[in-house]
Amino acid sequence: MCGIIGVVGDADALEILLAGLARLEYRGYDSAGVAVQGPGGGLWRARAADGTRSVAALAERCAAAPGGVTTGIGHTRWATHGAPVEANAHPHVDCAGSIAIIHNGIIENHAALAERLRAAGHAYVSGTDTEVLAHLIEEHRGAGLSLPDAVTAALREVTGAFSIAVLDAATPGMIVAARRVSPLIVGRAEGVTYLASDIPAILERTRDLVAVEDDQVAVLTAAGLELRDLDGFEVAPTALSVDWDVETAELGGHPDFMTKEIYEQPEAIRATLLARRDASGRLTLDELRLGDDELAEIDRVVLVACGSSYHAAMVGKYAIERFARLGCDVDIASEFRYRDPVLDRRTLAVGVSQSGETIDTLQALRAAREGGARVVAVCNVVDASMAREADAVLYTRAGLEICVASTKTVLAQIVALEVLALKLAQVRGTMADAQISEAFDDLLALPELVAAVLKGAEHVRDVAEGLHGARDYFFLGRHVGFPVALEGALKLKELSYLHAEGYPAGELKHGPIALIEPGTVVVAVVTEPTLRDKLLSNIAEVKARGASVVVLHRDGDDEVAALGDWSVAVPDAAPLASPVLSIVPLQLLAYHLAKLRGLNVDRPRNLAKTVTVE
């Protein structure tokens, strides 16, 4: 959620910091700040806490910054410890105001550290867990340690997740950074070194990027980068590969990023499927460090994810059980490691995350590995933490996604999980080669089918106009239509702030039907034919109680279309491929309802793109 940017050695350092913070706004934030080393010594700091206007407000305040700045750090904060007010905005400083720090993550033992440091005479001015780090580093500096050694010593005392960047007025031309769990990268150019929590912040400056790994300390100067571990030993950097450019972060003629990314979905699917099948028909994953024999030993799969990725994982469960004949559980990642899951070497744990940095999913995979499971990551960012730590990776190749509400990455995740299901079927021999080829061909047909769905976007806008004014929505589905219903309800909540719930339609009579009354909208997902007739009964039940009904149906199914007050058709597709098509109209419906309410679809309130704290 929070964003980090840093630069050493550039005469335009302050402008680079502000531009980087602007590029990190999509992550979600409530305050922003910078600290720079003045050419005459000392630190200069500015902060702003004005919600999603904070970066703009900060830029105005930076007009008073000293000239000649070449070194500085910047931060966008999403509040965890302490209210979203300026006193809690980063950077935080020590007692003397000579050390400044920015931090993503949570310091779990901050209270104990703060109590000890207060007893030693340190005074606190914020309600954050971060400020304790500034005072802890100050304590070690006071004991005579250099800045890199003081940061290293401080982090040996810290428990929790963090990525940090530190300035010291007494050490000009240097940033010391470190990471545990929360992402951090360094970029290098001639005479300049950059730091960021996310690639877009510095991509236009350099493509010579390296990852800071867990419990590594990075010393940045204009001359370059030095990496060491917490024992002080120098380590070699891990180079990152980036296959997209800055232009992908621009609107390209669309009114907002969400529209742009919805219309990029056919290409996202196509790219995710590219080169997945070799000349012999064998399916391939990325960075596969598990042999087919090892995959064949798997007797159980656990999928862990959060939010929209969780809904993609639910579709993946159907595919894995159907194709590979493996028992498959789907877990909300934030709950997984706290319930003593039963794991062993024959368990395959699959983490699904757009960023590959989602803290709950990353920690769930680490817990699975500790329990003996093999680990696969499904993510959209090359060399993300999950990808680097997994035994195999399936990159979704959807490209940069700026809008906070996921669209193209969800469809790409579903497709990737179906490829994984077919790969498992292949190594286990649960499907004939011809059946695998046919199922893969069904996936290859999806880009054109999604493009066909998008041609009906104007009709979905008309449906939204007809629904404008309704406050309560229920999304119903069965089989793979159930995760589609959940995703449709989530998108509506995220974008329009309307009450929306997703249910398996068979549960309607077990409570939810009590809420159905005139004025309620029910969206019925009737695109999977297996349980079509049962859903027709559910539609009749809600209509009898006065609900307005939108039916999402297969093209040509006129009987279903006639049951709705509004109907939206999608092309017919194989049952396990149908969720990819069904989700698209629900994205559009949520989008248009939000626009009718005058809301910002790219940056919904209270939400962040990448959740990097528990």
Side-chain angles (χ1 to χ4, degrees), residues 244-262:
W244 39 265
D245 54 30
V246 175
E247 284 69 30
T248 62
E250 297 178 354
L251 288 172
H254 293 284
D256 43 62
F257 284 114
M258 186 172 186
T259 302
K260 177 177 182 285
E261 289 157 12
I262 285 174

Side-chain angles (χ1 to χ4, degrees), residues 147-189:
L147 180 60
D149 288 343
V151 171
T152 302
L155 295 182
R156 291 195 194 108
E157 302 185 59
V158 165
T159 59
F162 56 79
S163 55
I164 64 169
V166 184
L167 288 181
D168 187 341
T171 312
M174 178 184 290
I175 297 173
V176 178
R179 169 260 173 97
R180 182 184 297 157
V181 180
S182 293
L184 198 63
I185 60 169
V186 173
R188 300 173 292 190

Side-chain angles (χ1 to χ4, degrees), residues 464-473 498 519 521 593 596-597:
E465 289 176 348
L467 299 173
H468 185 42
R471 302 288 302 179
D472 296 294
Y473 289 77
L498 292 167
V521 176
L593 284 168
L596 287 167
R597 290 168 58 81

Side-chain angles (χ1 to χ4, degrees), residues 261-481:
E261 289 157 12
I262 285 174
Y263 278 87
E264 288 174 343
Q265 289 182 123
E267 183 54 37
I269 297 167
R270 190 175 290 112
T272 298
L273 293 170
L274 184 66
R276 294 292 183 197
R277 184 167 55 181
D278 64 23
S280 66
R282 303 296 293 178
L283 297 176
T284 62
L285 311 183
D286 302 295
E287 301 178 20
L288 181 61
R289 295 178 282 273
L290 288 173
D292 282 1
D293 290 344
E294 292 177 281
L295 285 175
E297 293 174 358
I298 298 299
D299 62 12
R300 176 170 169 260
V301 179
V302 178
L303 303 173
V304 291
C306 305
S308 291
S309 298
Y310 176 73
H311 302 151
M314 291 177 70
V315 178
K317 169 185 169 71
Y318 285 96
I320 289 167
E321 292 184 341
R322 170 74 178 273
F323 294 154
R325 307 305 301 154
L326 280 168
C328 183
D329 298 323
V330 184
D331 262 282
I332 293 175
S334 58
E335 294 292 326
F336 174 75
R337 63 194 175 106
Y338 298 112
R339 63 169 182 80
D340 292 330
V342 178
L343 303 162
D344 58 30
R345 190 66 178 161
R346 297 171 70 86
T347 303
L348 185 68
V350 183
V352 188
S353 164
Q354 180 274 139
S355 65
E357 304 289 353
T358 304
I359 187 67
D360 291 312
T361 309
L362 177 60
Q363 296 289 52
L365 286 190
R366 288 174 172 174
R369 182 181 291 284
E370 290 172 4
R374 280 121 164 176
V375 172
V376 171
V378 176
C379 68
N380 194 47
V381 178
V382 174
D383 289 328
S385 295
M386 281 173 49
R388 295 198 303 273
E389 297 183 22
D391 297 309
V393 187
L394 261 170
Y395 288 122
T396 47
R397 304 175 187 164
L400 183 62
E401 189 174 67
I402 299 295
C403 179
V404 169
S406 297
T407 52
K408 61 180 179 176
T409 55
V410 179
L411 300 198
Q413 286 169 345
I414 292 173
V415 168
L417 287 167
E418 300 220 8
V419 171
L420 176 62
L422 291 171
K423 175 68 176 179
L424 291 170
Q426 195 168 60
V427 299
R428 288 171 52 79
T430 54
M431 293 175 69
D433 289 345
Q435 292 174 306
I436 292 172
S437 180
E438 181 181 357
F440 191 80
D441 287 343
D442 289 337
L443 298 179
L444 290 175
L446 285 173
E448 291 302 321
L449 295 177
V450 171
V453 174
L454 290 171
K455 290 179 181 178
E458 291 298 314
H459 172 63
V460 178
R461 185 178 67 179
D462 293 341
V463 173
E465 289 176 348
L467 299 173
H468 185 42
R471 302 288 302 179
D472 296 294
Y473 289 77
F474 290 85
F475 290 72
L476 302 179
R478 302 189 78 135
H479 197 259
V480 288

